[in-house]
Amino acid sequence: MKKYPQLVSTALDLFYRQGFHATGVDQLAAAAGLTKKTLYRYFPTKEALIEAVLQQRDEQFMARLQAFVEPLPAPQRPAGYLRFIGAWSQERDFQGCLFINAAAEYPELAHAIHLQAARHKAGLRQWLLGLCEQAALPDAPATAARLFLLGEGLTVGAQVQGFDAQLLEAACAQLAA
């Protein structure tokens, strides 16, 4: 299992930069320094590898998000989420949300990869609800839903057009309204 973390990390990088369908098993094995046979020993299918990659990305993303937002005073955390999206979308290797990309490449709602992307988004929404409740915002469920939509819009906007400070400020103003 010593090559497992390296394989998942390499696959995460390639899938994020190139897409799931555009990244072949031969390329994955070569980039990870493995034979195709060894890759298939760890993951019987490419989809199983994608599921492991999405699990790792979920853990990494949520840890980064929490590390950015949770040190803020509770009333500032909801806006801190939007600021996190703004900072993330300015990173050199930003390619949008891997879960949105996964859902787009695997559009069948019942597909395991699409379902995994949906679980990530549901978990994020639940986390945002907790932020809004901690901030003692009135109608926390509605505010959390609005916060989720603003964050998703900022993410997709940055993926398509690049970071836009004006959009970030508009999202923060919308949250405060």
Side-chain angles (χ1 to χ4, degrees), residues 111-143:
H111 193 285
I113 292 170
H114 192 100
L115 289 169
Q116 193 170 2
R119 280 191 303 274
H120 167 78
K121 294 300 182 181
L124 177 60
R125 288 186 69 180
Q126 196 61 36
W127 186 81
L128 292 171
L129 175 60
L131 281 189
C132 292
E133 289 171 347
Q134 292 164 11
L137 296 175
D139 199 2
T143 303

